[in-house]
């Protein structure tokens, strides 16, 4: 297959600034692999699917042989320094545009820093919950909280590429003003600075407020099925919704995307499964990378490897022509994201 244009990564969190020792690196690798706590005795979190990907694809970007020992790889990383190593990794990932979730204070790179390091483009996705939490920390009353939240969402909509929310459930109707006020009173009365927003009516209020702006909204609920009523109720409003579930719910997200014209879904870790459940133009790629620049590399390479394998099999079986296979791959890799997030005017950054 001909070389793909640079990917559009529709969801990630940025990379760390500081140097990492073996323990800290493995902790982030464990989180990416779904693990917690130390690795079993005599093993390492490099002994995982993600770890194999790091050893296969990242060492050559830093001037080492593939599959070199983890200790040698990390020594090379320290030798180059975090700044230079991160630049080499990000520029070798094949990603031309990043959509970076923002909203909470973080030690991770900003969209501007990520764009500079990767020699790519980066756009902000504003997470709704931290936005409301920051306002709650400084607002003096329920009225000021509700008013400032509305103003902040409107202001963010002027520049943000998308909004995002982790609400696990949302009804098919916007809460009434009295319901919002009572929920705000309950939450503000009992919270302390730094407490996370978990008041259901306020989460619904934030989501419906974001939908009203017309800016695309990413929905990060673990299982998208409890959002089905919200998806149905927002049909025809003119705002696209993108489902980014956690495994093993990507197939269900693809099925919901197939049903609703304004709903899209993350292709997930097994694109073969989601490609069979939704029109190809309803699926988008993401790495979900956090902290380690290596996760951008592995996320991109695993995705390309999986999608190209699927469409190659389809071509060999006579299910589609080679030109169709290339078009489908490019659509999921970047084309649909450019359309949904209104990036069409951008010339893809050089990979």
């Amino acid at each position: 297959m001909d070389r793909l244009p640079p990917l559009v990564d529709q969801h990630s969190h940025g990379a760390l600034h500081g140097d990492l020792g073996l323990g800290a690196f493995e902790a982030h690798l464990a989180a990416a692999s779904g693990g917690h706590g130390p690795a079993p005795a005599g093993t390492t979190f490099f002994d995982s699917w993600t770890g194999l990907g790091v050893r296969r694809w990242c060492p050559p970007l830093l001037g080492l042989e593939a599959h070199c020992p983890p200790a040698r790889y990390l020594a090379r990383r320290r030798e180059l320094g975090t700044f230079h190593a991160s630049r080499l990794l990000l520029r070798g990932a094949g990603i031309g545009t990043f959509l970076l979730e923002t909203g909470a204070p973080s030690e991770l790179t900003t969209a501007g820093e990520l764009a500079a390091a990767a020699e790519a483009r980066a756009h902000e996705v504003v997470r709704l919950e931290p936005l409301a939490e920051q306002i709650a920390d400084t607002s003096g009353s329920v009225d000021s909280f509700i008013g400032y939240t509305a103003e902040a969402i409107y202001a963010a909509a002027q520049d943000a590429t998308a909004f995002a929310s982790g609400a696990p459930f949302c009804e098919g109707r916007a809460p009434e003003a009295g319901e919002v006020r009572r929920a705000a009173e309950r939450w503000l009365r009992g919270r302390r600075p730094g407490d996370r927003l978990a008041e259901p009516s306020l989460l619904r209020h934030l989501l419906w407020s974001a939908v009203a702006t017309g800016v695309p909204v990413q929905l990060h609920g673990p299982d998208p099925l409890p959002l089905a009523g919200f998806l149905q109720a927002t049909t025809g409003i003119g705002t696209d919704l993108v489902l980014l579930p956690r495994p093993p719910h990507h197939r269900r997200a693809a099925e919901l995307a197939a049903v609703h014209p304004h709903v899209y879904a993350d292709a997930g870790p097994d694109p073969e499964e989601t490609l069979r459940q939704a029109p190809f133009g309803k699926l988008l790629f993401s790495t979900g990378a956090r902290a380690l620049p290596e996760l951008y590399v592995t996320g991109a390479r695993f995705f390309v490897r999986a999608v190209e394998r699927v469409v190659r099999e389809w071509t060999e079986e006579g299910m589609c022509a080679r030109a169709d296979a290339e078009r489908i791959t490019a659509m999921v890799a970047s084309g649909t994201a450019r359309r949904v997030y209104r990036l069409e005017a951008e010339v893809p950054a050089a990979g």
Side-chain angles (χ1 to χ4, degrees):
M1 182 172 291
D2 294 339
R3 186 175 181 274
L4 275 174
L7 304 171
V8 174
D9 181 358
Q10 69 156 340
H11 170 59
S12 74
H13 300 271
L16 284 165
H17 292 287
D19 290 324
L20 294 172
L22 177 60
F25 189 94
E26 284 219 29
H28 291 295
L29 193 58
S33 304
H36 300 281
T43 70
T44 165
F45 279 110
F46 279 95
D47 295 328
S48 65
W49 187 240
T50 303
L52 287 179
V54 170
R55 294 185 62 198
R56 164 64 181 87
W57 290 305
C58 296
L61 296 176
L62 302 187
L64 298 173
E65 70 280 5
H67 309 296
C68 71
R72 175 72 186 100
Y73 175 74
L74 292 177
R76 176 60 173 166
R77 212 176 180 275
R78 290 192 297 273
E79 177 186 329
L80 291 170
T82 299
F83 177 75
H84 188 45
S86 293
R87 288 203 313 169
L88 291 172
L89 291 164
L90 291 169
R91 294 177 186 186
I95 299 171
T97 303
F98 300 82
L99 271 61
L100 194 69
E101 185 175 301
T102 64
S106 174
E107 72 278 18
L108 305 178
T109 50
T110 64
E113 290 168 338
L114 186 66
E119 282 191 333
R121 295 179 176 85
H123 302 274
E124 288 193 1
V125 175
V126 176
R127 185 82 172 212
L128 293 168
E129 292 88 348
L131 185 67
E133 291 156 7
Q134 291 166 16
I135 293 169
D137 287 339
T138 57
S139 59
S141 67
V142 170
D143 288 335
S144 62
F145 169 75
I146 293 174
Y148 291 154
T149 299
E151 292 175 6
I153 291 175
Y154 175 80
Q158 308 311 303
D159 298 310
T161 298
F163 287 108
S165 173
F169 169 77
C170 187
E171 292 181 3
R173 64 173 183 85
E176 297 177 356
E179 184 180 352
V180 173
R181 183 178 180 81
R182 290 190 294 273
E185 288 176 344
R186 286 194 302 272
W187 184 56
L188 293 174
R189 187 187 317 119
R191 80 181 297 271
R192 292 172 295 181
D195 283 356
R196 303 295 299 272
L197 174 58
E199 177 64 48
S201 294
L202 287 183
L203 292 173
R204 284 169 49 216
H205 173 63
L206 292 175
L207 269 178
W208 280 98
S209 298
V211 166
T213 69
V215 174
V217 179
Q218 296 181 349
L219 301 171
H220 293 266
D223 179 354
L225 189 58
L227 297 169
F230 176 69
L231 303 183
Q232 178 64 43
T234 51
T235 301
I237 289 179
T239 300
D240 288 330
L241 306 178
V242 184
L243 302 174
L244 288 101
R246 296 175 192 164
H249 300 296
H250 285 83
R251 175 172 179 164
R252 181 170 289 166
E255 292 170 346
L256 288 168
V259 172
H260 302 288
H262 65 305
V263 177
Y264 296 79
D266 191 81
D270 184 4
E272 179 175 12
E273 183 179 60
T274 50
L275 284 167
R276 295 179 185 275
Q277 299 301 320
F280 309 132
K282 285 300 199 83
L283 301 173
L284 304 88
F285 156 73
S286 75
T287 63
R290 181 194 293 271
L292 300 181
E294 285 84 355
L295 299 179
Y296 286 102
V297 178
T298 57
R301 301 293 174 87
F302 278 134
F303 166 77
V304 172
R305 174 179 176 271
V307 171
E308 289 190 341
R309 183 184 68 248
V310 171
V311 297
R312 182 173 61 249
E313 290 175 357
W314 291 355
T315 302
E316 292 170 354
E317 294 170 358
M319 287 294 296
C320 65
R322 179 183 173 86
D324 289 327
E326 293 178 351
R327 183 173 54 83
I328 292 166
T329 303
M331 192 185 307
V332 182
S334 61
T336 300
R338 294 192 180 281
R339 174 167 50 85
V340 171
Y341 296 111
R342 304 164 191 175
L343 309 174
E344 304 100 317
E346 290 187 355
V347 177

